[in-house]
Amino acid sequence: MSPLPQTSSPLRRPARLAVNAGLVIFLALYAAIAFLQPNYLEPGLFMNFLRRAAPLVILACGQLYVILTGGFDLSMGAVATLAVLAASILINGDPETTWAVIGTLYVMGIAVGLVNGLVVAFLKVPSIIATLGAMLSVNGLALAWSGGAARGDLPDNFRNLGRLVWRGVPLVGTLPLAAVVLAGFVALAWWGLNGTVYGKRALAVGDNPRAAELAGTPVAATRILAFVVSAVSAVTAGILIGGFSGVSVNAGEGLELQAIAACVIGGAQLLGGRGSIWSAVFGALSLFALFTLLNLIGLPQALRDSIQGVILIAAVGASLWRTRRRT
Amino acid sequence: MTTDIAKNKPAARGLPVAVLLAGLSIGFFVAVALATGEVAQLGGQGIVGLLQRMVALGLVALGQTFVILVGSIDLSVAALISAVAVLASHVMQGDPAMILPAILLCLGLCLAVGLVNGVLVAYGGINPLIATLGTGLIVQGVLAASFGALQGAVAREFQVLAYGGVLGVPYSILLLAVLSLAAAFVLDRTLFGARVYAVGGNPEGARLAGIRTERVTLSAHVVASLFAGASGLYLAARLQSGTPWIGRDGIYDLESIAVTVIGGTILAGGKGGVAGTLAGVLLFASLDAAFNMLGIDAFLKQVLRGAIVVAAVAIHAVRTKGHVA
């Protein structure tokens, strides 16, 4: 009777459920995987998928912190390589030292993150250049230290972090330790952005640093902390990678760009101001599902790069199209 | 009134940074040569060698300067360099008659990639980092997948570009010099150059002033791709045959951005120029040469290089007021 419904429906539309773009892409890709290989629907294989995707997801979470504050961290891959090589050199076959060495790895990571953050915040070097410099230096350092070749072996208790799988766990059957590490890290990263004031600060700084500063946000501290989180995530990922693929000099090669791509696919906005931890998680899972799918199809390794490029552009294009339609 | 206008003249743009940087680089090179007793490096041969180190990176960086000046960036150059080098050697197959078709085909490829980049960035509104990273990945993937079918070697006559010269000056250095002058002329003396600075400095203002900003951005991307192509052709001539990894191994994408920024071109666009970029390239070349003379090990070289990139940018960035991303 009344004309009210007609006027209110267009008004109500903006409040539609915000579904993460990365989740949609991930579900679509995983459905395709399950279609080709139905046993991927079993909890065991899904857990295995999570285990292998864990490093990329963790890296993406760290990268997201930096992206939210408006920067980039190109040094992640090098830090992951450093973690793997340093672990093998420092542990030197003695399982007793594993935990102390892991502590040392985090100290090294935090140091790199601090340097990145300080250079960006106080020397005003754009983060893309600052972290490029860090990438070259850290990579060179790791190679110089190890003599340019993978040396030594990692003891079992270190490698277990990446490859141990508990069997006979109720509900899921098998539970890889890496998946637990992954869940723990994502929970921590989520808490950092949603449970503390830091998340709001990061978004404010990324959106408009000058305005954030005038509003009393500690811009420099927010920036620096983001780089530290990113470096810590790189060390964590490095430990997991060392766990399941062993020592290699190019353990972390190219991971930094994959992490950035993952965040963007999940809907985070480069140069800051928009994104959530789910952008990173589902973006990274999508990217990894894509790799898995291409593997199953039997596409040559080389063409994967191309498909990744297409997906990257398409994902950003699609998110732009969505926001344009909304406004 | 007239003095106000004179103050805004672009003549002084970027010159101090360039001169300072070039002076420091040459000073460092000379000091190391004297200290290690490799005085021969200071003779004609040594200088030519130093300049020759600049060619590959210098050509890419000239193109990168254009895109950074309009406020964009190009990460696809490394893949494009590899693609051009492979394509040139495959098309030529050592046959001098195929030199011209090969060059035209390569530049055509660059034109296409540059157009795609430009359309994605300027008309699609996609962040340039993502757009060019994407196109770079696409090119790299196709190249690596089809490399098995793309063997070949460039013609002997084509290698003159890398090894031949006139009056002791290699053609490659002349090529870099001519293209640098052309780029500087375009940026400083033509309408297109003025538009590049306008679009990079204030895109909205440029649009309101009647400039079709999208076209300028698109053209800058095409220019960058063509310069990357020139660099790829030079590398093909030097190495006799291209591989799909020469661009990636040389980190030409990130290094070309680094030298451009070191030379005082700011990433936000609108400020900088060719002279600074060349000085940045000279810095990298003299560091390389000096490290070789000092016999510094390859990995330590990389560590120092990283630190110097940051320090070189910090020197002029530290005065920036406000925040950088």
Side-chain angles (χ1 to χ4, degrees):
Chain A
M1 301 282 152
S2 71
L4 242 176
Q6 277 154 1
T7 51
S8 73
S9 72
L11 278 178
R12 213 179 283 159
R13 203 185 281 161
R16 80 175 88 153
L17 235 164
V19 178
N20 185 287
L23 179 61
V24 177
I25 302 176
F26 170 60
L27 288 179
L29 285 169
Y30 205 83
I33 293 175
F35 180 73
L36 287 172
Q37 199 78 274
N39 48 4
Y40 262 87
L41 289 174
E42 294 164 15
L45 266 180
F46 180 68
M47 282 296 154
N48 195 37
F49 172 83
L50 277 188
R51 182 183 72 104
R52 283 178 299 128
L56 185 57
V57 178
I58 290 174
L59 284 169
C61 289
Q63 184 73 252
L64 180 85
Y65 271 67
V66 181
I67 288 183
L68 280 187
T69 59
F72 301 95
D73 188 352
L74 296 179
S75 67
M76 297 187 111
V79 172
T81 307
L82 176 71
V84 173
L85 291 177
S88 74
I89 295 167
L90 289 175
I91 294 179
N92 206 8
D94 180 8
E96 299 274 298
T97 55
T98 294
W99 296 106
V101 167
I102 287 180
T104 317
L105 295 182
Y106 277 109
V107 172
M108 292 194 291
I110 291 170
V112 175
L114 270 180
V115 170
N116 280 337
L118 290 169
V119 167
V120 171
F122 293 113
L123 296 183
K124 308 283 169 88
V125 177
S127 64
I128 195 168
I129 301 289
T131 58
L132 165 66
M135 167 183 127
L136 292 174
S137 292
V138 171
N139 229 342
L141 214 59
L143 290 173
W145 194 7
S146 64
R151 265 199 305 169
D153 240 342
L154 291 166
D156 279 340
N157 64 353
F158 186 96
R159 295 204 61 174
N160 276 344
L161 287 169
R163 65 177 180 187
L164 180 74
V165 177
W166 288 305
R167 293 184 196 288
V169 180
L171 221 64
V172 287
T174 57
L175 183 63
L177 182 50
V180 177
V181 174
L182 167 66
F185 194 91
V186 170
L188 261 180
W190 180 87
W191 176 78
L193 287 181
N194 299 59
T196 68
V197 68
Y198 183 80
K200 298 272 182 296
R201 284 186 179 161
L203 281 170
V205 168
D207 200 31
N208 187 340
R210 180 78 186 125
E213 187 177 44
L214 291 175
T217 312
V219 176
T222 308
R223 280 255 161 83
I224 294 169
L225 192 58
F227 283 103
V228 172
V229 171
S230 169
V232 164
S233 78
V235 172
T236 313
I239 292 172
L240 294 184
I241 292 171
F244 53 74
S245 11
V247 190
S248 106
V249 286
N250 45 17
E253 211 176 82
L255 288 181
E256 62 281 344
L257 291 180
Q258 285 182 14
I260 295 175
C263 292
V264 171
I265 289 175
Q269 184 176 301
L270 287 185
L271 304 179
R274 201 181 73 216
S276 78
I277 202 72
W278 305 118
S279 329
V281 172
F282 291 121
L285 285 175
S286 303
L287 200 53
F288 203 80
L290 177 72
F291 294 153
T292 313
L293 183 63
L294 296 178
N295 226 352
L296 283 177
I297 297 175
L299 217 63
Q301 178 87 21
L303 267 184
R304 275 195 227 174
D305 278 349
S306 298
I307 308 274
Q308 196 191 334
V310 173
I311 296 273
L312 197 55
I313 295 175
V316 177
S319 87
L320 267 179
W321 181 66
R322 274 203 315 273
T323 46
R324 262 187 213 160
R325 221 178 35 162
R326 215 170 284 166
T327 48
Chain B
M1 258 156 73
T2 44
T3 49
D4 270 18
I5 296 163
K7 229 186 274 174
N8 288 336
K9 264 177 88 172
R13 185 196 293 149
L15 202 64
V17 174
V19 171
L20 192 74
L21 206 57
L24 276 175
S25 313
I26 293 169
F28 180 67
F29 177 75
V30 171
V32 170
L34 292 176
T36 53
E38 298 212 30
V39 190
Q41 289 289 338
L42 299 177
Q45 285 286 319
I47 301 296
V48 165
L50 179 69
L51 291 176
Q52 232 165 355
R53 280 174 195 273
M54 291 177 61
V55 176
L57 183 58
L59 290 173
V60 204
L62 285 177
Q64 194 72 256
T65 307
F66 276 81
V67 266
I68 294 185
L69 278 176
V70 292
S72 187
I73 207 162
D74 192 344
L75 289 178
S76 67
V77 286
L80 196 53
I81 287 174
S82 310
V84 163
V86 168
L87 193 63
S89 43
H90 177 65
V91 173
M92 274 187 224
Q93 297 290 0
D95 178 5
M98 292 301 285
I99 290 180
L100 197 62
I103 292 178
L104 290 178
L105 193 64
C106 288
L107 293 183
L109 172 72
C110 294
L111 186 68
V113 173
L115 280 174
V116 171
N117 281 339
V119 166
L120 287 174
V121 172
Y123 294 95
I126 295 178
N127 184 299
L129 277 163
I130 294 296
T132 56
L133 176 64
T135 50
L137 281 171
I138 295 171
V139 170
Q140 183 73 46
V142 171
L143 183 63
S146 54
F147 179 55
L150 286 180
Q151 306 289 348
V154 298
R156 201 163 261 291
E157 288 77 2
F158 184 64
Q159 291 197 278
V160 167
L161 174 61
Y163 297 103
V166 55
L167 300 172
V169 182
Y171 290 127
S172 55
I173 296 177
L174 289 177
L175 177 71
L176 178 63
V178 168
L179 287 180
S180 304
L181 285 176
F185 176 80
V186 167
L187 282 178
D188 287 346
R189 295 272 178 275
T190 67
L191 189 58
F192 175 65
R195 286 181 175 159
V196 164
Y197 282 101
V199 171
N202 184 347
E204 208 41 52
R207 193 192 314 275
L208 291 175
I211 298 173
R212 291 175 194 260
T213 54
E214 288 91 356
R215 282 191 194 173
V216 178
T217 307
L218 178 80
S219 315
H221 272 284
V222 171
V223 169
S225 293
L226 290 175
F227 270 109
S231 181
L233 287 171
Y234 164 71
L235 283 173
R238 205 176 72 188
L239 304 171
Q240 197 177 16
S241 66
T243 73
W245 299 279
I246 51 172
R248 196 182 262 186
D249 288 348
I251 336 180
Y252 286 111
D253 41 2
L254 295 174
E255 291 211 339
S256 64
I257 296 169
V259 292
T260 306
V261 177
I262 286 173
T265 301
I266 60 170
L267 279 174
K271 235 180 230 161
V274 168
T277 301
L278 284 178
V281 179
L282 178 64
L283 173 74
F284 268 36
S286 42
L287 282 177
D288 260 359
F291 289 158
N292 277 352
M293 286 189 268
L294 291 167
I296 293 179
D297 121 308
F299 303 133
L300 192 58
K301 215 192 285 187
Q302 215 184 338
V303 177
L304 292 171
R305 218 171 191 205
I308 289 166
V309 168
V310 175
V313 176
I315 288 172
H316 47 85
V318 74
R319 282 171 307 197
T320 317
K321 295 207 176 64
H323 302 280
V324 296

